[in-house]
Amino acid sequence: MSRRFPFAGRLKQLPPYLFAEIDRLKQEAVKRGADVIDLGVGDPDLPTPPHIVKRMAEAAQDPRHHRYPSYEGMLLFREAAADWYGDRFGVVLDPATEVLTLIGSKEGIAHLPLAFIDPGDTVLIPDPGYPVYQAATVFAGGTPVALPLYPSNGFLPDLESIPLDVLRKAKMLFLNYPNNPTAAVAPEAFLAQAVAFARKHQLILCHDAAYSEMAFDGFRPASVLGIEGAKEVAIEYHSLSKTYNMTGWRIGFAVGSAEILAGLGRIKTNVDSGVFQAVQYAGIAALTGPQECVARARETYQERRDQIVQGLRKLGWPVEAPKATFFVWAPVPDRGSSTDWAARLLREAGVVVTPGVGFGPAGEGYYRIALTVGKARIAEALGRLASLRL
Ligand SMILES: Cc1ncc(COP(=O)(O)O)c(C=O)c1O
């Protein structure tokens, strides 16, 4: 398409949007009036708990909150985040310097490379992975280097196999456990290895823990900051989106190295003006209030996981039961391409799943199912899949 105003080179450098075909097929099906079951999006269908909504409603009435918030977040919110962190992970944080409020963790991920990456620097990112690590690297002029996540290694990157010439130019390493899209979890020994590796090679270690609270069967994911010495080289991203069903509210936080957070904060002061204070009060209510809502959400996702895993296995389709996240990552049963498979499920069953290759080349051969619809719809989806002939 010829444009009057061509996009900047950095937009052209982004990888092709591999979900476009599925999006198109989905829109077509919806237009036709088909009953589409969307197991594609990682957006909780459960509502935000009422006590959080109530706090927001009260705070929104107060004119003191109608003005610009502080860039780094209200100290009250950062104290609540630090206390929550201490209770959950046993890590003590200074709310003034080791906690930064974010407009959702995506915002903090997207802005971090701008603070530390120059053209010519490389950033190590997981493949398959949450696409923002790559986009953020490209926007900062850096070069993303993919770390493939293979099932044979529990979907953990093999850090020791990264060539030295790559490491010499590398400044940053993104990791994400519990992992989107593979749903893998990281043993604490791996986090310790990653911290030692980051220290040895002078890397900023960014651990995205957006799904830390969405774990099953009693499993409790660890924080990278629990590893000795991590605070000198690492930050960890947390999100209220998944934990409290607050995706639309846009609030999260980063914790860890004061030096790294100061760099991110510098960027933020120049591009945004913080989180609406009423939303921060809602966030405080979430972090300091009753936590039964989180336990209930976990139970709901666990039941859905069991239903999907049992259902797929009954069809003879191989699948591992994930220990965390609200995703199931399964090999394409006919061993064909993940895009063809996703297109076929949509065309023949009206079921949307996400092709693994959309998260990076190493995701090929897999597809992702989100556990974000109720059990009746999952049963309906499984019924439709049963009538597909492989
Ligand atoms: C791995 C991962 N990190 C971060 C995010 C961003 O979450 P938010 O910006 O809502 O906090 C998501 C959202 O899907 C995600 O999957």
Side-chain angles (χ1 to χ4, degrees), residues 221-295:
S223 162
V224 81
L225 297 184
I227 309 293
E228 213 183 309
K231 246 201 224 173
E232 288 156 36
V233 292
I235 64 168
E236 187 160 86
Y237 291 100
H238 282 265
S239 171
L240 277 71
S241 293
K242 325 282 172 175
T243 310
Y244 301 103
N245 305 318
M246 292 177 75
T247 45
W249 300 61
R250 311 312 302 135
I251 185 159
F253 56 92
V255 292
S257 156
E259 187 186 336
I260 301 170
L261 293 180
L264 175 55
R266 263 306 271 282
I267 296 294
K268 283 175 61 57
T269 51
N270 286 286
V271 293
D272 69 61
S273 297
V275 174
F276 180 25
Q277 289 198 169
V279 172
Q280 294 191 56
Y281 273 105
I284 294 169
L287 292 168
T288 62
Q291 300 297 303
E292 288 77 28
C293 53
V294 186

Side-chain angles (χ1 to χ4, degrees), residues 42 103-107 109 130 133 176 180 208 210-211 238-242 247 250-252 327:
I103 310 170
S105 57
K106 180 178 186 178
E107 176 266 306
I109 294 166
Y130 181 54
Y133 313 131
N176 163 223
N180 176 16
D208 178 354
Y211 296 94
H238 282 265
S239 171
L240 277 71
S241 293
K242 325 282 172 175
T247 45
R250 311 312 302 135
I251 185 159
F327 302 116

